[in-house]
Amino acid sequence: MAKPAQGAKYRGSVRDFPNFDPSQDAETLYNAMKGFGSDKEAILELITSRSNRQRQEICQNYKSLYGKDLIADLKYELTGKFERLIVGLMRPPAYGDAKEIKDAISGIGTDEKCLIEILASRTNEQIHQLVAAYKDAYERDLEADITGDTSGHFRKMLVVLLQGTREEDDIVSEDLVQQDVQDLYEAGELKWGTDEAQFIYILGNRSKQHLRLVFDEYLKTTGKPIEASIRGELSGDFEKLMLAVVKCIRSTAEYFAERLFKAMKGLGTRDNTLIRIMVSRSELDMLDIREIFRTKYEKSLYSMIKNDTSGEYKKALLKLCGGDDDAAGQFFPEAAQVAYQMWELSAVARVELKGTVHPAGDFNPDADAKALRKAMKGLGTDEDTIIDIIAHRSNAQRQQIRQTFKSHFGRDLMADLKSELSGDLARLILGLMMPPAHYDAKQLKKAMEGAGTDEKALIEILATRTNAEIQAINEAYKEDYHKSLEDALSSDTSGHFKRILISLATGNREEGGEDRERAREDAQEIADTTSGDKSSLETRFMVILCTRSYPHLRRVFQEFVKMTNYDVEHTIKKEMSGDVRDVFVAIVQSVKNKPLFFADKLYKSMKGAGTDEKTLTRIMVSRSEIDLLNIRREFIEKYDKSLHQAIEGDTSGHFLKALLAICGGED
C-alpha cells in the first residue's frame, strides 16, 4: 500500500485496527465459517475494520493455526457480490489490481474500462508493484498480455503507462510548458489529421504538476480545454483513455468520484466497478473522494450506496465508505480545499465565452424576408425554411429581417409566424425573433402571470444576468408592460425572497476585481451562522451575494472554505430553505461556473419522464449568442453525453430540428 507523502495526512477511510491480534482474528473467522452456514455479519465486521497489512497477517495466522487457505475458505462460504468484495479486500493491493487486469483481458472480449481505470490512475510505484504482482501470480508478462489483447494507439498509450516512468519532479520549466502547449496544438487543432504520438508522449510522461500548468496554458492559448481537443481529435478507446489520464492529472479523487457516481446512477449497478474502487481507494483517498462526491452530486456517497445496494454487500460497502457526509460533523478540511479547487480553475483561466449562433455571412435581409413570406403563403407552412433562416441568423440580423418584412409586405413578421406555427416550435421561433432584453422581460412576465408564480424562471434569469442585461430588461419591461419590473416583483413575491429578487433586479452589482481584505471580512460575515436569527443570516448573505462582483465573490468563497471547511453552497443548503435557498444557490453556482449552471438546468429539463420544454427553450434561446458553446462543453464533461444527443433523444419533429440548429453541432 502506497504510504502518504511525508507530512501529508492519511486520507483513507480504513485504518489499522488498534490492539490488533491476528491469531484471535483468525480464530473468529474460522468459527464464523465452521459448521452449517456462515456468520456473514461477523466476517464483514472484522475484515472491513482491519487494514490490508493486518489482513495479510490474519491470512498467515489462519494457515498456521488451521492448515487452510483463508481466501479459499471465504470463496467457498460466501457468494455473489459480497464474496467478490470480501475476497478483494483480502488481496494485497497490487495483487488485487493484477487480478482485475487478468480478468479484463481473459476470455472473449476485453474490459477496456477496467484497463483504463487502473492504468490511468496509478502512481509509478503502484504500476511497478502491479507488474511484479502479475508476474508472480500468473507467471506471465503483463506488457506482453496487454499488447496481445489491444491494438493501435490505445495499445501504445497503455504500454507507455505500464512503464511507470512518469516524471515526478515538482519543479516546472515555463519554457517547456509553452513548448508542450504548442506541440499539442500543432499535433491536433492545427494539423490535418492528428499526430497521436505527441499526445501519447506528453500525456504519458510529463509530471502531474507540469501537465496541470500545460492544461491551464492550453486553455488560455486556444480558448478551449484540452478535453475538448482530445474529443475532437481522438476517438474510441484511445480517446477514453486519454480523457481518463487528463482527469487523473487534474484530480484522481474527482475521477473516482465520477466513476462511482456513474456506477450507481440509472437502472442497474455496475458492481464490478463499485467493488474495485471501494476496495482500491479505501486506504488511499476515500475521504477526498467522499467530499468531492458530495460537492459535485449534491448527495453523499454513503447515501447513494445505501439506496443502490442491499444486504451484507451494502453493509460492507458502507463500512469501507467510512461515514455519511450528510451527517453532522462529517467534513474534512483537506477535501474542502480540493472541493474549492475543482471550480477555482474557471476563475483563474480567462475562459472565452462563445455562442453557437453567429451573424450569417453574405446576409441579405431582402432575400430572407421574401423567403419567409413564401414559406408562410398559401396552404400549409414550410417550417424547414423558417427554421433554416431564423436559427442561422444573429438576433441583430433577425431585427433587420423584421423591418424589411414590414417595409416589403406591410405585415408584421411576428404576427405571421404566430399564426402559422404552433406549440413548442412557435415558442422557440418567436423567442429567437425577440430582442434579448424583451425576451427576458416576457419570460419574467409569464413567470408572474396567473395563479401561482414560476419561481425557478425568476431565479434563473435574475441570478445570471449581467448589470447591462438587467438594466436592458428593466427598460424593456417598462416599455412592453407599462409597469416597472420592481413593482411587478413586489406584488408577486414576498418576504426575503422578494427582497433578494428586487436587489438583483436593480442591476447594481459591483464590477471591479477582488479585494482580499474585504473578501476575508465578507467571508467572516456569512461564516458566522450562530449569531442572530435566520432572518439576519439571510440579510447578510443577500447584501454580499447580490452586490459584490463575480471575481470578488470567488475570493469570498475561497476564504469561506478556509475559515469553515465548508463550501458556501453546502452551508446555504443546510441553513436555509425554499425559494431563498434556491436563489442563493443559483447565484453561487453562477459565480463559480455559469455555463455549468446552465448545463445542469438543461440536463434536468430533459431527464426522466417528460420534458420541461419551457426551460429548454428559454435557455437555448437566451444563451445561443452568449455561451452556448461553453455550456455544450460543460454538458458533455459532466454527463458523458453531448447536448446534441440529449436533445435528439428527448424532442422530435421541427422543434427538434430547430433546437439542433441552435445547438450548433455534435461534440
Side-chain angles (χ1 to χ4, degrees):
M1 179 59 66
K3 292 184 175 68
Q6 207 160 11
K9 285 194 179 177
Y10 181 70
R11 307 297 300 139
S13 54
V14 174
R15 296 173 173 272
D16 281 340
F17 189 73
N19 307 316
F20 172 58
D21 183 343
S23 295
Q24 179 62 54
D25 285 352
E27 187 181 338
T28 302
L29 288 171
Y30 180 76
N31 289 332
M33 293 186 281
K34 199 167 66 175
F36 187 72
S38 53
D39 185 349
K40 296 181 181 68
E41 191 80 36
I43 293 168
L44 82 86
E45 192 61 42
L46 191 147
I47 289 175
T48 57
S49 56
R50 304 297 185 270
S51 67
N52 192 277
R53 180 187 62 78
Q54 290 175 331
R55 293 181 207 123
Q56 303 319 309
E57 286 189 58
I58 296 169
C59 276
Q60 289 161 8
N61 276 267
Y62 193 89
K63 189 164 269 187
S64 301
L65 288 169
Y66 306 108
K68 300 176 76 169
D69 182 73
L70 177 54
I71 289 182
D73 280 3
L74 287 166
K75 280 183 173 177
Y76 180 77
E77 290 292 334
L78 308 176
T79 58
K81 296 174 284 195
F82 181 55
E83 178 243 313
R84 286 207 302 278
L85 176 60
I86 294 297
V87 169
L89 287 167
M90 294 308 300
R91 293 191 182 100
Y95 285 81
D97 281 350
K99 173 77 165 70
E100 289 291 328
I101 286 186
K102 185 76 170 71
D103 290 347
I105 56 179
S106 294
I108 300 168
T110 305
D111 182 354
E112 289 85 4
K113 287 181 179 175
C114 173
L115 294 181
I116 290 169
E117 180 196 297
I118 292 173
L119 295 180
S121 66
R122 302 311 192 243
T123 63
N124 287 346
E125 184 188 352
Q126 289 167 337
I127 292 284
H128 297 151
Q129 290 169 354
L130 160 61
V131 171
Y134 192 91
K135 186 84 171 170
D136 181 49
Y138 307 111
E139 298 179 350
R140 296 177 66 89
D141 180 69
L142 178 53
E143 185 179 322
D145 280 0
I146 282 181
T147 303
D149 214 65
T150 56
S151 61
H153 297 297
F154 179 55
R155 173 170 65 195
K156 287 176 192 167
M157 185 62 177
L158 289 176
V159 169
V160 168
L161 295 173
L162 266 177
Q163 307 315 300
T165 53
R166 184 177 296 287
E167 295 159 6
E168 293 182 328
D169 193 350
D170 280 342
I171 298 166
V172 176
S173 156
E174 285 185 27
D175 290 343
L176 187 57
V177 167
Q178 292 298 339
Q179 185 61 53
D180 282 350
V181 168
Q182 196 56 37
D183 288 348
L184 286 170
Y185 192 40
E186 287 174 3
E189 298 287 336
L190 294 184
K191 189 178 174 71
W192 180 260
T194 306
D195 181 359
E196 290 87 354
Q198 278 287 21
F199 279 86
I200 290 170
Y201 177 72
I202 293 170
L203 294 181
N205 290 285
R206 298 287 193 244
S207 72
K208 285 193 165 191
Q209 191 60 34
H210 174 90
L211 284 172
R212 284 176 191 136
L213 291 175
V214 168
F215 299 161
D216 290 350
E217 284 303 315
Y218 189 91
L219 182 61
K220 289 177 192 172
T221 303
T222 68
K224 58 163 60 174
I226 187 71
E227 291 90 340
S229 290
I230 288 171
R231 286 194 183 96
E233 300 298 326
L234 313 180
S235 61
D237 292 323
F238 180 45
E239 175 198 345
K240 288 172 190 162
L241 173 59
M242 297 307 251
L243 287 172
V245 168
V246 169
K247 281 176 182 171
C248 289
I249 296 296
R250 291 196 189 277
S251 166
T252 309
E254 185 177 355
Y255 171 71
F256 282 114
E258 193 177 295
R259 293 275 296 154
L260 285 167
F261 179 74
K262 286 173 182 169
M264 291 181 281
K265 76 167 186 173
L267 288 170
T269 305
R270 295 170 195 164
D271 294 292
N272 286 351
T273 302
L274 180 55
I275 291 167
R276 185 170 58 243
I277 297 173
M278 295 303 289
V279 169
S280 66
R281 310 315 291 185
S282 60
E283 293 183 45
L284 292 175
D285 52 4
M286 186 58 72
L287 302 191
D288 293 328
I289 292 168
R290 273 168 48 181
E291 189 47 57
I292 289 172
F293 193 99
R294 189 186 64 183
T295 304
K296 193 164 182 170
Y297 301 113
E298 300 178 10
K299 65 177 83 178
S300 68
L301 175 59
Y302 189 97
S303 67
M304 197 158 183
I305 291 171
K306 196 173 176 182
N307 293 330
D308 215 64
T309 58
S310 60
E312 281 88 9
Y313 176 54
K314 173 170 82 173
K315 287 178 189 170
L317 287 170
L318 293 178
K319 288 272 288 181
L320 294 178
C321 183
D324 186 356
D325 303 305
D326 289 336
Q330 291 284 358
F331 203 91
F332 314 111
E334 296 88 345
Q337 307 300 332
V338 173
Y340 172 76
Q341 287 159 8
M342 279 167 57
W343 51 264
E344 190 195 24
L345 283 170
S346 66
V348 176
R350 302 293 300 161
V351 181
E352 186 186 352
L353 298 178
K354 290 182 178 176
T356 53
V357 174
H358 310 285
D362 303 324
F363 173 56
N364 184 337
D366 192 60
D368 284 348
K370 286 174 181 170
L372 286 170
R373 176 70 180 132
K374 186 181 175 187
M376 294 185 283
K377 209 170 166 185
L379 282 171
T381 306
D382 182 356
E383 288 92 349
D384 290 329
T385 296
I386 294 171
I387 292 166
D388 284 340
I389 293 173
I390 291 175
H392 295 105
R393 305 292 183 270
S394 68
N395 194 276
Q397 290 176 333
R398 293 181 206 124
Q399 303 318 310
Q400 283 183 255
I401 295 169
R402 276 180 79 173
Q403 191 58 55
T404 305
F405 195 89
K406 184 162 263 185
S407 301
H408 273 337
F409 307 112
R411 301 173 69 88
D412 179 10
L413 175 56
M414 292 287 279
D416 280 6
L417 287 167
K418 203 170 186 178
S419 73
E420 292 292 328
L421 305 175
S422 62
D424 296 325
L425 178 64
R427 275 196 293 274
L428 180 63
I429 295 295
L430 290 167
L432 289 168
M433 289 304 303
M434 294 180 77
H438 289 265
Y439 179 71
D440 277 347
K442 183 174 184 183
Q443 296 306 303
L444 291 168
K445 179 79 163 63
K446 286 173 86 71
M448 294 182 279
E449 268 176 356
T453 305
D454 183 353
E455 291 85 3
K456 285 181 180 173
L458 297 179
I459 291 168
E460 179 205 298
I461 295 169
L462 294 174
T464 61
R465 302 308 192 249
T466 64
N467 283 348
E469 287 167 341
I470 291 282
Q471 281 150 18
I473 291 168
N474 273 294
E475 288 168 20
Y477 200 95
K478 186 85 173 169
E479 182 187 331
D480 293 345
Y481 307 112
H482 312 294
K483 182 179 185 178
S484 75
L485 176 58
E486 183 181 326
D487 286 348
L489 290 167
S490 289
S491 59
D492 209 68
T493 57
S494 60
H496 270 283
F497 182 55
K498 173 174 85 175
R499 289 175 57 204
I500 296 161
L501 292 182
I502 288 173
S503 176
L504 291 171
T506 59
N508 282 329
R509 186 179 292 285
E510 295 162 6
E511 294 190 334
E514 62 179 65
D515 175 337
R516 289 203 172 210
E517 188 51 47
R518 189 182 179 208
R520 277 191 284 274
E521 290 168 8
D522 284 348
Q524 188 63 61
E525 187 72 15
I526 56 176
D528 184 9
T529 56
T530 53
S531 71
D533 57 14
K534 188 176 174 183
S535 175
S536 146
L537 179 66
E538 288 174 353
T539 300
R540 279 180 277 146
F541 265 88
M542 180 183 80
V543 168
I544 291 163
L545 292 183
C546 295
T547 65
R548 307 292 194 257
S549 71
Y550 271 33
H552 181 80
L553 282 173
R554 288 189 185 106
R555 180 61 59 189
V556 172
F557 299 164
Q558 186 178 26
E559 295 299 330
F560 187 90
V561 167
K562 286 178 185 171
M563 282 176 193
T564 66
N565 291 326
Y566 278 87
D567 183 273
V568 69
E569 198 176 318
H570 176 263
T571 298
I572 290 167
K573 287 174 180 173
K574 186 179 168 206
E575 298 290 337
M576 298 173 199
S577 60
D579 296 328
V580 170
R581 174 198 61 211
D582 293 346
V583 70
F584 283 153
V585 166
I587 295 169
V588 170
Q589 289 177 346
S590 181
V591 170
K592 284 179 178 180
N593 184 338
K594 197 178 286 185
L596 179 58
F597 169 80
F598 283 115
D600 282 339
K601 293 282 175 209
L602 285 170
Y603 178 76
K604 285 170 185 166
S605 76
M606 291 181 279
K607 77 166 190 174
T611 305
D612 178 357
E613 288 87 357
K614 287 181 182 174
T615 299
L616 176 58
T617 299
R618 186 170 59 241
I619 295 173
M620 295 295 287
V621 168
S622 64
R623 310 315 294 181
S624 59
E625 292 183 51
I626 299 173
D627 55 4
L628 191 53
L629 189 62
N630 307 79
I631 292 167
R632 269 171 43 186
R633 288 171 184 164
E634 295 292 350
F635 194 99
I636 195 169
E637 181 64 31
K638 182 161 181 181
Y639 297 110
D640 253 10
K641 71 156 112 174
S642 66
L643 178 57
H644 189 282
Q645 286 172 313
I647 291 169
E648 246 181 348
D650 218 65
T651 60
S652 60
H654 289 106
F655 182 51
L656 163 65
K657 183 178 179 182
L659 286 171
L660 291 182
I662 301 166
C663 183
E666 167 66 289
D667 296 302

